[in-house]
Amino acid sequence: MDAQNKKDPVILVVDDTEDNLDLLEFALKRKPVEMLRANSGKECLTIAREKQPDVILLDIQMPEMDGFETLKHLRASQETAKIPVIFLTAQRKDPGSIEAGLMMGADEYLTKPIDTDELLVRTKTLVQLKRMEAELERTKADFMAMLVHDLRSPLAGIKDVIEFIRELERGDRNLTPDHFTLLSASQESAERLLQLINNLLDISKFEAGKITLHKESVSLPQLVERVAKQMDFQFRQKEISLDLKVDSDLPHVQADGGKVGQVFMNLLSNALKFSNSGGHVEVAAKQATEKTAGLNDAHKVVVVSVTDSGMGIPAEEIPNIFQRYKQASTAKRVRQKGTGLGLAICKLIVEAHGGSIKVESQPGKSTTFQFTLPIA
């Protein structure tokens, strides 16, 4: 049974001094709380991933990895990003550490010596807030699913009717070129609206934890080739070359092929949109070893990159590029407008697989999106 379903909240206490942990454990022995203990930042990261405590009480002053660095790693991992953290400071006259901790994502702070009653009150408050937020996300996802279903069904019908009329026109030639142009524009608009609806549904499901990944052993070379074939016409139409540098003997990845295919589709569509006619897009993949954030252990991954010769992204905009509805300023210079959801969905899918995604760009020259997937 996980921590969220237990009657008593589970709190992970992180302190490098064993005596402090012993004293607090003794003080909490008869309290309505279960205490886990860690005596280093690295041990905190491991236990937080495995046990998923309701709250983490994190001491700031620790050797090797202090509280600030530990908090940074906790917030950077999808598995631990939403666990509430209470910072523990050595003295009340330390506003700098308190402010820095809150700015980095700490939820509360306490000072030594610890008042166990105050700790329990703050823990209970944070657990209630976390559960309320989770319930709100579930409600929002349910509403979005209902809304999207109600919108998608008639829109799909309109799209099918447009395609049917276009097929009739190809055979009978009863429509004028102007009529055909209007039908083509209508079909394109319907497809874009349908994609927007699907993106909104994906975003809401991921954020509510309702996306189920159907993982299996997937061949990335075959997956990349399949997506490239689907987009071949669009690349040829815009006269942009697509080069696949993916080793055929890459080890398989453990992934949901449909979702990873969606990542490729979004990244290639992005590269296509921001590349000028005559440009070049390259997809590459290789095997590598990746360290677990904040820990000494490592695991084998496949590193995939999509590089275009487009207009690039200004450096100051890169930190926000994976946020919902955020688009680079260069998006204003292209004819095909986006929604700002494609890259956010890529990030959610990759992180749901236990991978990571990043971007590097040289304005006016190129942009490279790179993501990792664990090897099966």
Side-chain angles (χ1 to χ4, degrees):
M1 184 180 294
D2 59 26
Q4 284 76 7
N5 292 326
K6 292 182 179 179
K7 183 178 179 181
D8 294 335
V10 177
I11 180 169
L12 170 60
V13 183
V14 189
D15 194 312
D16 64 302
T17 305
E18 289 287 348
D19 288 345
N20 291 344
L21 293 172
D22 290 339
L23 286 171
L24 185 57
E25 189 169 26
F26 180 78
L28 294 174
K29 195 170 184 179
R30 299 186 184 280
K31 302 289 186 179
V33 64
E34 179 184 341
M35 175 178 156
L36 303 175
R37 49 195 289 166
N39 55 25
S40 70
K42 291 182 179 179
E43 189 177 7
C44 166
L45 298 177
T46 301
I47 295 175
R49 288 191 179 101
E50 293 176 355
K51 302 294 186 181
Q52 290 293 304
D54 290 297
V55 175
I56 298 174
L57 178 61
L58 181 60
D59 189 21
I60 292 179
Q61 296 179 349
M62 295 186 295
E64 295 184 23
M65 182 186 291
D66 64 12
F68 295 117
E69 188 178 353
T70 304
L71 178 62
K72 180 180 177 182
H73 288 304
L74 286 169
R75 292 293 177 253
S77 170
Q78 187 191 30
E79 296 171 289
T80 58
K82 293 185 178 181
I83 300 176
V85 173
I86 300 175
F87 249 165
L88 186 59
T89 62
Q91 53 186 340
R92 291 188 181 276
K93 295 180 180 180
D94 191 13
S97 294
I98 293 171
E99 181 183 7
L102 294 175
M103 291 294 291
M104 290 179 64
D107 299 89
E108 287 276 7
Y109 74 90
L110 285 173
T111 55
K112 294 180 180 179
I114 300 173
D115 183 324
T116 54
D117 290 332
E118 183 180 3
L119 172 60
L120 290 175
V121 168
R122 298 203 183 197
T123 297
K124 184 178 179 181
T125 301
L126 289 173
V127 170
Q128 287 177 337
L129 285 173
K130 182 180 177 183
R131 288 172 179 168
M132 288 171 64
E133 289 175 358
E135 182 60 32
L136 181 61
E137 286 295 333
R138 284 192 293 269
T139 302
K140 186 176 72 172
D142 290 340
F143 172 76
M144 187 65 72
M146 178 184 67
L147 178 65
V148 167
H149 179 270
D150 290 346
L151 288 172
R152 188 161 49 184
S153 296
L155 185 59
I158 293 171
K159 181 172 171 290
D160 290 342
V161 169
I162 293 173
E163 182 60 31
F164 177 71
I165 295 175
R166 289 185 63 184
E167 288 297 327
L168 287 179
E169 191 277 337
R170 289 190 183 98
D172 299 335
R173 298 291 174 183
N174 291 326
L175 299 180
T176 67
D178 287 341
H179 289 148
F180 187 72
T181 300
L182 287 173
L183 281 173
S184 298
S186 298
Q187 184 177 22
E188 183 179 342
S189 296
E191 288 173 349
R192 287 177 59 192
L193 186 53
L194 191 59
Q195 183 61 49
L196 171 59
I197 290 171
N198 290 333
N199 285 345
L200 286 170
L201 180 60
D202 283 343
I203 285 282
S204 63
K205 281 187 174 181
F206 267 111
E207 292 186 339
K210 286 195 169 186
I211 283 286
T212 301
L213 297 178
H214 302 286
K215 290 186 178 181
E216 56 186 353
S217 184
V218 175
S219 167
L220 271 183
Q222 293 178 7
L223 184 60
V224 171
E225 187 174 355
R226 184 165 68 246
V227 174
K229 283 182 178 178
Q230 291 175 357
M231 299 193 67
D232 179 65
F233 175 75
Q234 298 173 54
F235 274 87
R236 287 190 288 109
Q237 191 178 38
K238 200 172 176 180
E239 297 182 344
I240 294 175
S241 62
L242 177 59
D243 189 14
L244 305 182
K245 293 186 175 180
V246 181
D247 295 338
S248 58
D249 59 349
L250 270 180
H252 286 205
V253 295
Q254 193 69 18
D256 184 321
K259 294 299 179 187
V260 176
Q262 188 177 353
V263 173
F264 278 119
M265 187 73 74
N266 285 354
L267 293 181
L268 285 176
S269 296
N270 222 47
L272 183 67
K273 181 168 66 174
F274 289 100
S275 297
N276 294 321
S277 179
H280 176 73
V281 174
E282 177 184 288
V283 179
K286 62 181 180 180
Q287 182 178 338
T289 301
E290 184 178 67
K291 279 192 173 184
T292 304
L295 302 176
N296 291 325
D297 62 323
H299 54 279
K300 292 186 181 300
V301 297
V302 170
V303 181
V304 185
S305 61
V306 178
T307 303
D308 64 67
S309 59
M311 56 190 70
I313 304 169
E316 66 273 13
E317 297 178 11
I318 285 181
N320 300 319
I321 201 67
F322 292 105
Q323 292 183 15
R324 285 184 300 170
Y325 311 116
K326 291 285 186 180
Q327 290 185 293
S329 57
T330 48
K332 299 175 183 177
R333 291 153 50 186
V334 297
R335 190 173 68 88
Q336 183 185 350
K337 303 302 179 185
T339 62
L341 291 174
L343 292 179
I345 290 172
C346 288
K347 185 174 188 292
L348 289 169
I349 291 175
V350 170
E351 290 183 348
H353 281 83
S356 60
I357 187 168
K358 63 180 181 179
V359 60
E360 296 177 352
S361 187
Q362 293 180 289
K365 293 184 177 180
S366 67
T367 298
T368 297
F369 284 91
Q370 185 182 92
F371 67 93
T372 63
L373 292 171
I375 290 175

